[in-house]
Amino acid sequence: MPDSASTQPATTTAAPAEEHWPAPAAQQPVRARISLPGSKSVTNRALVLAALSATPCVVRRPLVSRDSELMVGALRALGIGVAEVPSEDPAVPDLSITPAALGGPADINVGNAGTVMRFVPPLAALAAGDVHFDGDPRARERPIDELVNALRALGADIDDSGREALPLTIRGTGAVHGGEVTLDASGSSQFVSALLLSGARFTQGVHIRHEGPPVPSQPHLDMTVEMLRAVGVTVTTGENWWKVEPGPISASELTVEPDLSNAAPFLAAALVSKGEVTVQGWPEHTTQAGDALRELFTRMGGEVFRSGADDTDLTLRGTGAIHGITADLRDVGELTPTIAAVAALADSPSRLTGIAHLRRHETDRIAALATEINRLGGDVEELPDGLVIRPRPLHGGVFHSYDDHRMATSGAVIGLAVPGVEVENIATTRKTLPDFPGLWSEVLA
């Protein structure tokens, strides 16, 4: 699989000057109509379910990015057949998945993809043979301890030399007995999703109980449950518990929605430039966290409305006003970098909370956002679980990405209104967007 930028903690050094990308300033209101690539979250869940299905499956309109390629590579390493097949869009082939007996030995590179480092170990526990996991340097610092301990409690044999982190080896026996398990999922909802996605293949299914601070990213848990039910899995849920009954998974065709979280910088472009941007194919019903952009950007001064034939598109119109916001972003933390970028350009302060878990994402996003906005002349204060952003006139300079795709796109948003911003390592956006610079240039044109 292609291997693009690795990810480092927030203390990473800057990239060489030649890697800096001059963020285009908006010379006029941005007016564009865009079609976004598929959702990374849906794509990688669909690939896991297809791999565990009792029948072959076609995943339609999948995302093609580093994270999805890493997932495909992991499935192939475990013996699953994955082949490209023609689709309605010649530029984006569909994926035909042929299930097979999972087996090792295998070496799996998770890169810095949270879905791969967390969703694939339960599959590996179902495999016969040793499966070794490792990834980018930052991946070794990201939390998987609760998942590792939960898998052990459910019957998996894991050798991590006591680290409860990558690298590790799962010594698969071909089965996992499953049953009840308690964990603390406050660090990542993916701990729960990982066990739910494979749970129907555990001998006793799985019954997960969460104990600890609130679980973040509730929409992603809703996504997992909804997708499991769509392929015939019996799932019941309650307050801080989820249960999957043992049984077959029957997936023949899974269609991926556009990635609504990746709509954030493009809708922000309309808000910041007093323009108008339309995203095609915005689902009427969705579990994606990005759907919250409609409400958040309306509160920040935009006008958001359905558009297009049969109201299948979503349009944001900038009114010329950008307001600060007080918001608990616990459920939609991935939107924080873009919301923070817009908040830095607003007419009043913002307070973003509920996002302590972002400190252990691709980088410490709370520290990174404060550092980079302040580097451009801003006034951002870190909170234990968020940010206070007091708008000030900003100036040009280098905006470091810390090899974090959402940091890079937030720098591009600031660059719309602040001439002279240069984003370090814009290529890291390939983690979830195949060609962000190209699409950004088209939108601004």
Side-chain angles (χ1 to χ4, degrees), residues 146-231:
E146 293 290 333
L147 176 62
V148 168
N149 290 327
L151 280 172
R152 284 194 176 114
L154 295 169
D157 182 0
I158 303 175
D159 178 8
D160 61 2
S161 301
R163 287 184 302 269
E164 297 180 336
L166 295 175
L168 58 80
T169 298
I170 296 181
R171 307 198 184 284
T173 60
V176 176
H177 67 68
E180 292 194 20
V181 67
T182 299
L183 53 74
D184 179 354
S186 60
S188 175
S189 66
Q190 290 178 354
F191 299 152
V192 176
S193 287
L195 297 174
L196 294 178
L197 287 168
S198 294
R201 292 285 300 273
F202 296 170
T203 305
Q204 300 176 19
V206 67
H207 186 180
I208 306 164
R209 296 186 184 277
H210 162 70
E211 289 186 359
V215 181
S217 307
Q218 181 64 41
H220 288 286
L221 288 172
D222 296 339
M223 178 187 296
T224 299
V225 170
E226 186 172 283
M227 292 182 70
L228 281 165
R229 288 174 174 162
V231 296

Side-chain angles (χ1 to χ4, degrees), residues 110-125:
V110 308
N112 194 18
T115 51
V116 181
M117 72 179 69
R118 294 167 184 147
F119 293 178
V120 179
L123 270 74

Side-chain angles (χ1 to χ4, degrees), residues 46 49-51 53-58 97 99 230-232 249-254:
L49 292 174
S53 175
T55 60
C57 177
V58 175
I97 313 299
V231 296
I249 295 172
S250 300
S252 59
E253 181 176 306
L254 296 169

Side-chain angles (χ1 to χ4, degrees), residues 72-365:
V72 167
L75 298 183
R76 285 175 172 158
L78 292 172
I80 302 298
V82 183
E84 294 184 352
V85 294
S87 69
E88 295 179 358
D89 181 355
V92 184
D94 293 336
L95 292 175
S96 175
I97 313 299
T98 304
L102 299 167
D107 287 299
I108 291 179
N109 172 25
V110 308
N112 194 18
T115 51
V116 181
M117 72 179 69
R118 294 167 184 147
F119 293 178
V120 179
L123 270 74
L126 291 164
D130 289 357
V131 182
H132 182 71
F133 290 81
D134 202 358
D136 295 352
R138 175 61 175 173
R140 296 184 175 192
E141 301 176 7
R142 296 184 68 181
I144 59 170
D145 51 341
E146 293 290 333
L147 176 62
V148 168
N149 290 327
L151 280 172
R152 284 194 176 114
L154 295 169
D157 182 0
I158 303 175
D159 178 8
D160 61 2
S161 301
R163 287 184 302 269
E164 297 180 336
L166 295 175
L168 58 80
T169 298
I170 296 181
R171 307 198 184 284
T173 60
V176 176
H177 67 68
E180 292 194 20
V181 67
T182 299
L183 53 74
D184 179 354
S186 60
S188 175
S189 66
Q190 290 178 354
F191 299 152
V192 176
S193 287
L195 297 174
L196 294 178
L197 287 168
S198 294
R201 292 285 300 273
F202 296 170
T203 305
Q204 300 176 19
V206 67
H207 186 180
I208 306 164
R209 296 186 184 277
H210 162 70
E211 289 186 359
V215 181
S217 307
Q218 181 64 41
H220 288 286
L221 288 172
D222 296 339
M223 178 187 296
T224 299
V225 170
E226 186 172 283
M227 292 182 70
L228 281 165
R229 288 174 174 162
V231 296
V233 176
T234 300
V235 188
T236 52
T237 67
E239 185 174 357
N240 291 324
W241 65 266
W242 304 261
K243 186 175 184 180
V244 167
E245 302 294 340
I249 295 172
S250 300
S252 59
E253 181 176 306
L254 296 169
T255 300
V256 178
E257 297 174 348
D259 195 318
L260 305 188
S261 293
N262 276 337
F266 299 99
L267 295 178
L271 184 58
V272 168
S273 71
K274 307 178 189 178
E276 185 172 299
V277 170
T278 296
V279 178
Q280 300 180 62
W282 195 284
E284 184 175 354
H285 166 75
T286 181
T287 53
Q288 290 191 61
D291 196 43
L293 290 166
R294 295 184 299 160
E295 184 260 342
L296 291 167
F297 279 154
T298 296
R299 289 173 59 193
M300 298 188 82
E303 295 178 350
V304 180
F305 52 91
R306 286 276 178 179
S307 59
D310 301 321
D311 290 337
T312 54
D313 303 334
L314 188 89
T315 296
L316 185 144
R317 179 181 297 139
T319 62
I322 306 175
H323 306 311
I325 190 172
T326 296
D328 183 336
L329 300 180
R330 183 186 311 278
D331 286 342
V332 294
E334 65 206 62
L335 306 180
T336 301
T338 301
I339 300 299
V342 174
L345 304 171
D347 58 14
S348 58
S350 294
R351 186 180 184 91
L352 311 177
T353 57
I355 47 177
H357 58 288
L358 296 190
R359 292 192 181 277
R360 300 184 75 181
H361 274 220
E362 282 80 347
T363 189
D364 178 342
R365 285 178 172 166

